[in-house]
Amino acid sequence: MSSIHDKKIIIAGAGLVGSLLALRLLQKGYQVEIFESREDMRKQSISAGRSINLALSHRGIEGLKLVGLSDQILPHAVQMKGRMIHTLNSELLFQPYSIRENEYINSISRRTLNIQLMDAIEKWDVKINFGNRLSHFSPEENKFTFTTKGNLKNELVDCCLIATDGSNSIARKFMLDRSAELRMNYNQKFQDYGYKELTIPPGEHSKFLLEKNALHIWPRGHFMMIALPNPDATFTATLFLPFKGEQGFELLQNTSTLRTFFHKYFTDALPLIPNLEEEFFENPTGHLNSVKCSPWHYKDQILLMGDAAHAIIPFYGQGMNCGFEDVVVFDQLLDQLSNVEELFQQFESSRKPNADAISDLAEDNFEEMRDKVSDPVYQRKRALESQLEKKYPNYYSKYALVTFRPDVSYSEAMIKGRLQDEFLLKICADQTEFNDIEMMKIYNHLQSI
Amino acid sequence: MSSIHDKKIIIAGAGLVGSLLALRLLQKGYQVEIFESREDMRKQSISAGRSINLALSHRGIEGLKLVGLSDQILPHAVQMKGRMIHTLNSELLFQPYSIRENEYINSISRRTLNIQLMDAIEKWDVKINFGNRLSHFSPEENKFTFTTKGNLKNELVDCCLIATDGSNSIARKFMLDRSAELRMNYNQKFQDYGYKELTIPPGEHSKFLLEKNALHIWPRGHFMMIALPNPDATFTATLFLPFKGEQGFELLQNTSTLRTFFHKYFTDALPLIPNLEEEFFENPTGHLNSVKCSPWHYKDQILLMGDAAHAIIPFYGQGMNCGFEDVVVFDQLLDQLSNVEELFQQFESSRKPNADAISDLAEDNFEEMRDKVSDPVYQRKRALESQLEKKYPNYYSKYALVTFRPDVSYSEAMIKGRLQDEFLLKICADQTEFNDIEMMKIYNHLQSI
């Protein structure tokens, strides 16, 4: 029986989740060794505005609070208080995420966040082994090997490895190679959609050219564009298109079809993206894939965490938040359990239903964002929910449960949220205005769900 | 644009599907090279009765007819005309598969079948490269490497490879390594059940100790045992148990619990299995896993076929039959298409919905075999179906559509068969006897499905 207190913990992957986990484990006094396949991002310059931003929300903030960094990191974010819908004829429609004051999401650069976490790790006099790729695992010897580009090998024995090496996890591949032994269920799924990142630069005097405190959406039914603000007054826009068919990437092969396409569907955005052609034809087309698997651990030797265990598509803005919540839950379990394998098993038991739930919710939300947000019934439902929130501070929409209520698990939020939506959409299909008594009845029914 | 007529076709895996395919391609005049990772089974002796048997049915027989081997092979099989249900108190109940004369399934040894196919291949003066494992694929050079145990390498360039290397396909792993490029969806699933093979030897004077021409089932709700006859008057019994829980493998850890378990649940079978303990504790516990994936091809370089493309669980007895049908369909497409990539795409378009259907049907059938066959309503339904078949030779049950009607695709059989079952089970829940007029109405309704 191996105790987590006696083991060196290897963290494979110093991305957001790996860095947060490493920092927390260092704070708790564990012996930690950190490896990262990429080079140190702090030594590489990336032009401003080209960094990808993420939506940090309450579950993720809990993770930052755990390591005492939320106050230091949040000032680097831009608050997004709701969705700004851009209609086909360039009208704007604002849908607040919540009526409660502290309930907004935060656009933050992945790079900034990761650097803050890495800097905090190094204050513990621990160095991150950059440029070291997990290359081999020998279960019999309980040995992990990391290899540098120059083919230098780092071999570690009798440790346990927590794999935070992302959606293409190498550690997960090691486990897949032992599928029969583990009876490993594994499901990877690619969307028929890809994405392309585009930049909206600032106006004169560093002016934001769209409403600063909003997540902008151009919902177009089978496709959409979104844009998130950055502190430097740029926006990072992301265009989501199917690969095939009408309005698919395959038909946008030259400047003129691209321009015609943007002119028709993103009229108000077109003048804001001066480098449209270069960016569209030079930036890679991103994929959207998800992974569900089980088990998440191999004996007491490997545990998958974050995207390595449960990669999801980005449409609920919860990938990082879910990963940070993994760390919060793992931290709690560390106080209760010391047997490594039991700890790993309990972690999966606790997190797997919630990771599955947010994955399913993210799939639903893609349809919601690209299509339903512009539907009149849906819009009436959102308006009614805002009224409910105003009148009954206890009312939480599905989005608010998922995004602002870390005390409610993703799976509870999914079940409750879906039932609420079903009920409200039915009501709003027939009726546009609600008086106080009707509102009370609606609220009472929602409370009973 | 590469034509299949100009290409050497490499077949990776000379199991049942690979051997049938190779033989057919040789008959059609293609240039074929065959590799098999295992050694030549004809040079290895296996004790009689220990070979695994398979249920060969009409779709599989179509494959054998295609290469002109059905008349030669079928005499090696034992006909199974229905299910013989062994109840908990050792009563026997026979459920015929069909009332029509030529509709039975054939218990045949995997080894016999494979050897016949290999022998037929070698009549074409082609040698199968045994002990050659597919070890490397370089898409840029279009190069495949096979490696022997002695580390001799066979490199082949500018060929196309058809991977019939089974449910753990190496070629599929090469494709999975290129998941993002292919946007490859992949789902592998392990049942919570394992299986153990046991032997029922012949009685005196080579007498079959159970009804010879039946597939025997001991349905026990959450677990079951089955037994298939072999020509040497043995039966190969297979015990399917959950890994965990009551009646799970984990609780059968010693001779006495095993004997008590068999005595309680398989009273009539226990005296027929003299080596129960040795076999149970020495034979490996098998896994039951399925794979669904897409795409099935990599450019014009690799095509997956048989279990490599669509491994299924064995409960419809259709794994090999489905694989043989792959070969029949591929053979037809070869007469219509020459462009390799188009051929590969069309093959998947044609086969994928049917492979998915038989996979789903096999999952349903596990529940049917271990549980429903002993349910009174289900039994009345089977009896009614036999009556219908007698009266209306055009009536085909779901099982008969899947098993005896190669002219009906698996997906059609699934859709039609499920609707029929739903309707008949509803009727049989309320009523036990049906007069001629009622039968006619039932038949007419079934025809309209």
Side-chain angles (χ1 to χ4, degrees):
Chain A
M1 218 185 77
S2 68
S3 163
I4 191 79
H5 305 296
D6 309 331
K7 288 250 173 187
K8 181 187 273 190
I9 302 171
I10 308 169
I11 295 181
L16 298 174
V17 176
S19 295
L20 182 70
L21 175 70
L23 180 55
R24 184 58 186 159
L25 292 177
L26 289 167
Q27 291 175 344
K28 287 185 103 137
Y30 290 92
Q31 205 191 337
V32 174
E33 194 146 358
I34 310 161
F35 293 87
E36 165 58 46
S37 62
R38 281 162 295 199
E39 298 303 324
D40 190 346
M41 60 171 71
R42 293 166 298 187
K43 294 178 181 160
Q44 295 163 324
S45 72
I46 294 183
S47 57
R50 298 296 306 277
S51 60
I52 301 163
N53 43 25
L54 298 159
L56 174 64
S57 55
H58 285 33
R59 290 173 204 268
I61 294 169
E62 289 298 309
L64 295 178
K65 283 183 185 164
L66 187 70
V67 294
L69 284 183
S70 58
D71 290 344
Q72 172 184 329
I73 285 173
L74 280 169
H76 294 277
V78 180
Q79 299 175 3
M80 300 184 287
K81 307 212 165 184
R83 294 169 174 162
M84 183 68 82
I85 310 298
H86 296 242
T87 70
L88 198 53
N89 45 18
S90 301
E91 284 164 351
L92 293 179
L93 179 69
F94 185 70
Q95 296 174 351
Y97 286 129
S98 163
I99 212 75
R100 287 169 290 262
E101 200 173 337
N102 69 336
E103 295 182 357
Y104 48 81
I105 63 178
N106 304 279
S107 176
I108 189 158
S109 127
R110 173 190 287 274
R111 183 179 155 81
T112 302
L113 190 47
N114 214 335
I115 287 175
Q116 298 259 359
L117 289 166
M118 286 174 173
D119 287 348
I121 286 170
E122 290 178 352
K123 289 193 181 139
W124 288 85
D125 256 347
V126 167
K127 103 179 171 0
I128 301 168
N129 299 286
F130 289 103
N132 270 272
R133 188 184 148 81
L134 179 58
S135 55
H136 190 72
F137 167 48
S138 165
E140 297 74 24
E141 304 164 272
N142 197 357
K143 187 172 81 181
F144 296 97
T145 309
F146 292 83
T147 308
T148 66
K149 271 192 189 143
N151 215 23
L152 289 173
K153 295 202 188 302
N154 258 302
E155 294 189 340
L156 297 103
V157 289
D158 293 326
C159 310
C160 64
L161 178 134
I162 303 185
T164 48
D165 52 348
S167 66
N168 284 314
S169 171
I170 306 281
R172 197 180 60 217
K173 283 195 188 110
F174 293 156
M175 288 173 61
L176 273 173
D177 288 338
R178 289 163 183 83
S179 283
E181 180 188 350
L182 289 170
R183 297 204 297 276
M184 188 165 181
N185 291 335
Y186 180 78
N187 193 351
Q188 75 178 31
K189 187 170 148 189
F190 280 79
Q191 299 288 317
D192 298 329
Y193 285 76
Y195 66 88
K196 192 75 90 172
E197 285 185 357
L198 306 166
T199 311
I200 298 176
E204 279 182 17
H205 311 298
S206 296
K207 189 174 172 292
F208 284 86
L209 291 182
L210 297 170
E211 164 57 43
K212 176 184 179 187
N213 294 115
L215 187 155
H216 295 263
I217 311 184
W218 290 257
R220 296 298 179 260
H222 290 292
F223 60 101
M224 70 171 180
M225 187 164 71
I226 65 171
L228 275 73
N230 299 308
D232 63 358
T234 61
F235 287 84
T236 306
T238 312
L239 175 66
F240 295 93
L241 296 183
F243 286 104
K244 297 191 174 171
E246 276 189 283
Q247 295 113 20
F249 278 110
E250 68 174 2
L251 292 185
L252 298 174
Q253 297 285 10
N254 60 53
T255 319
S256 101
T257 51
L258 179 67
R259 229 161 227 285
T260 310
F261 178 77
F262 262 77
H263 185 71
K264 181 166 174 189
Y265 294 111
F266 306 113
T267 320
D268 62 339
L270 179 57
L272 306 180
I273 311 172
N275 299 319
L276 176 65
E277 285 85 353
E278 296 92 305
E279 291 190 316
F280 188 90
F281 293 111
E282 282 165 28
N283 288 354
T285 306
H287 294 289
L288 298 165
N289 65 312
S290 57
V291 170
K292 288 181 180 174
C293 66
S294 177
W296 286 356
H297 73 102
Y298 181 81
K299 298 183 179 169
D300 60 354
Q301 297 174 280
I302 297 176
L303 175 67
L304 308 178
M305 198 181 286
D307 285 355
H310 48 71
I312 65 177
I313 55 176
F315 299 106
Y316 230 109
Q318 287 293 318
M320 165 189 56
N321 292 291
C322 178
F324 279 12
E325 196 172 68
D326 280 358
V327 176
V328 173
V329 170
F330 190 73
D331 176 70
Q332 289 161 354
L333 289 173
L334 276 173
D335 296 336
Q336 297 159 27
L337 300 167
S338 66
N339 175 268
V340 180
E341 196 163 3
E342 202 184 337
L343 176 68
F344 288 0
Q345 268 166 0
Q346 279 298 318
F347 177 74
E348 179 178 348
S349 302
S350 164
R351 291 302 288 160
K352 171 79 174 150
N354 295 314
D356 285 349
I358 190 60
S359 182
D360 296 346
L361 283 165
E363 295 217 3
D364 297 352
N365 221 41
F366 185 23
E367 203 192 333
E368 183 162 329
M369 286 174 83
R370 70 175 195 253
D371 195 6
K372 291 189 196 150
V373 287
S374 55
D375 174 71
V377 175
Y378 177 87
Q379 287 175 356
R380 289 209 294 273
K381 179 203 144 225
R382 284 300 302 151
L384 172 58
E385 288 192 287
S386 291
Q387 279 180 277
L388 283 164
E389 285 170 0
K390 225 175 271 177
K391 227 174 152 64
Y392 303 100
N394 270 337
Y395 176 68
Y396 279 79
S397 67
K398 182 175 80 179
Y399 186 89
L401 287 169
V402 170
T403 310
F404 306 123
R405 289 286 300 271
D407 59 316
V408 176
S409 71
Y410 282 127
S411 58
E412 287 172 79
M414 178 178 75
I415 293 165
K416 194 175 162 76
R418 283 180 173 174
L419 289 170
Q420 288 180 177
D421 277 2
E422 200 185 326
F423 172 69
L424 291 172
L425 284 167
K426 218 161 86 183
I427 289 180
C428 293
D430 306 327
Q431 198 171 339
T432 53
E433 300 275 325
F434 301 90
N435 64 33
D436 279 359
I437 294 171
E438 287 168 331
M439 289 277 285
M440 196 184 68
K441 281 188 184 165
I442 291 169
Y443 175 72
N444 284 339
H445 180 84
L446 289 168
Q447 286 303 95
S448 75
I449 285 175
Chain B
M1 217 186 76
S2 69
S3 163
I4 191 80
H5 305 296
D6 309 331
K7 287 252 175 185
K8 181 187 274 190
I9 303 172
I10 308 169
I11 296 181
L16 297 173
V17 176
S19 295
L20 182 72
L21 174 70
L23 181 56
R24 183 59 187 159
L25 292 177
L26 289 166
Q27 291 174 345
K28 287 186 102 136
Y30 290 92
Q31 208 192 334
V32 174
E33 194 146 359
I34 310 161
F35 293 87
E36 166 57 46
S37 63
R38 280 162 295 198
E39 297 304 323
D40 190 346
M41 61 171 72
R42 293 166 298 185
K43 295 179 182 160
Q44 295 163 324
S45 73
I46 294 183
S47 57
R50 297 298 305 279
S51 58
I52 302 164
N53 42 26
L54 299 159
L56 174 64
S57 56
H58 286 34
R59 291 174 202 267
I61 294 170
E62 288 298 308
L64 294 178
K65 283 183 184 162
L66 186 71
V67 295
L69 284 183
S70 59
D71 291 344
Q72 173 184 328
I73 284 174
L74 280 170
H76 294 278
V78 180
Q79 299 174 3
M80 299 184 288
K81 307 211 164 182
R83 293 169 176 164
M84 184 68 81
I85 309 299
H86 296 241
T87 70
L88 197 53
N89 44 20
S90 302
E91 285 164 350
L92 294 178
L93 179 68
F94 185 70
Q95 296 174 351
Y97 285 131
S98 162
I99 211 77
R100 286 167 293 262
E101 202 173 337
N102 68 338
E103 295 182 357
Y104 47 82
I105 62 178
N106 303 278
S107 175
I108 190 158
S109 127
R110 173 190 287 274
R111 182 178 156 82
T112 302
L113 190 48
N114 214 336
I115 287 175
Q116 298 259 358
L117 290 165
M118 286 175 172
D119 288 347
I121 286 170
E122 290 178 353
K123 289 193 181 138
W124 288 85
D125 256 347
V126 168
K127 102 178 170 5
I128 301 168
N129 299 287
F130 289 103
N132 270 272
R133 188 185 147 81
L134 179 58
S135 56
H136 191 72
F137 167 48
S138 164
E140 297 73 23
E141 305 164 90
N142 195 357
K143 187 170 80 179
F144 296 96
T145 309
F146 291 84
T147 308
T148 67
K149 270 191 190 145
N151 216 23
L152 289 172
K153 295 202 188 300
N154 259 302
E155 294 189 339
L156 296 103
V157 289
D158 292 328
C159 309
C160 64
L161 179 135
I162 303 185
T164 48
D165 53 347
S167 65
N168 284 314
S169 172
I170 306 283
R172 197 181 60 218
K173 284 197 187 111
F174 293 156
M175 289 173 60
L176 273 173
D177 288 339
R178 290 163 182 84
S179 283
E181 180 188 349
L182 289 171
R183 297 203 297 277
M184 188 165 181
N185 292 335
Y186 180 79
N187 192 351
Q188 77 178 29
K189 187 170 147 188
F190 280 78
Q191 299 289 316
D192 297 328
Y193 285 77
Y195 66 89
K196 192 74 88 169
E197 285 184 356
L198 306 167
T199 311
I200 298 177
E204 279 182 18
H205 312 298
S206 296
K207 188 173 172 295
F208 284 86
L209 290 183
L210 296 169
E211 164 57 42
K212 176 184 177 187
N213 295 115
L215 187 155
H216 295 264
I217 310 183
W218 290 257
R220 296 296 181 262
H222 289 292
F223 60 102
M224 71 170 178
M225 186 164 71
I226 65 170
L228 275 71
N230 300 307
D232 63 359
T234 61
F235 287 83
T236 307
T238 312
L239 175 65
F240 295 93
L241 297 182
F243 286 104
K244 298 191 174 171
E246 276 188 283
Q247 295 113 23
F249 279 109
E250 69 174 1
L251 292 186
L252 298 174
Q253 297 284 10
N254 60 53
T255 318
S256 98
T257 53
L258 180 66
R259 232 162 222 286
T260 310
F261 178 76
F262 262 78
H263 185 72
K264 180 166 175 190
Y265 294 111
F266 307 112
T267 320
D268 63 339
L270 179 57
L272 307 180
I273 311 172
N275 298 319
L276 175 64
E277 284 84 353
E278 296 91 305
E279 291 191 315
F280 189 90
F281 293 112
E282 282 166 27
N283 288 352
T285 306
H287 294 290
L288 298 164
N289 66 311
S290 56
V291 170
K292 288 182 179 173
C293 66
S294 178
W296 286 357
H297 73 102
Y298 181 81
K299 297 184 180 169
D300 60 355
Q301 298 174 280
I302 296 175
L303 175 67
L304 308 177
M305 198 180 286
D307 285 356
H310 48 71
I312 65 178
I313 55 175
F315 299 107
Y316 230 110
Q318 287 292 318
M320 165 189 56
N321 292 290
C322 179
F324 280 12
E325 196 172 68
D326 281 357
V327 176
V328 172
V329 170
F330 190 72
D331 176 70
Q332 289 161 355
L333 289 173
L334 276 172
D335 297 337
Q336 297 159 27
L337 301 167
S338 65
N339 176 268
V340 179
E341 196 162 3
E342 203 184 337
L343 176 69
F344 288 0
Q345 269 166 0
Q346 278 298 319
F347 177 74
E348 180 178 348
S349 301
S350 165
R351 291 303 287 162
K352 172 79 174 150
N354 295 314
D356 285 350
I358 191 59
S359 182
D360 296 347
L361 283 165
E363 296 217 3
D364 295 353
N365 221 41
F366 185 24
E367 204 192 334
E368 183 162 330
M369 288 175 81
R370 69 175 196 254
D371 195 8
K372 291 190 197 150
V373 287
S374 55
D375 174 72
V377 176
Y378 177 87
Q379 288 175 357
R380 289 209 295 272
K381 179 203 144 227
R382 282 302 301 151
L384 172 58
E385 287 192 289
S386 291
Q387 279 180 276
L388 283 165
E389 286 171 0
K390 226 175 273 178
K391 226 174 152 64
Y392 303 100
N394 271 336
Y395 176 68
Y396 280 79
S397 68
K398 181 175 80 180
Y399 186 88
L401 287 168
V402 170
T403 309
F404 306 123
R405 290 287 300 271
D407 58 315
V408 177
S409 71
Y410 283 127
S411 58
E412 287 172 78
M414 178 178 74
I415 293 165
K416 195 176 163 73
R418 283 179 173 174
L419 290 170
Q420 289 180 177
D421 277 3
E422 199 184 325
F423 172 69
L424 291 173
L425 284 168
K426 220 162 84 183
I427 289 180
C428 293
D430 306 329
Q431 197 170 338
T432 53
E433 300 276 323
F434 301 91
N435 65 31
D436 281 359
I437 294 172
E438 287 169 329
M439 289 278 286
M440 197 185 68
K441 281 189 184 165
I442 291 169
Y443 175 71
N444 285 338
H445 180 83
L446 289 168
Q447 285 304 94
S448 75
I449 284 175

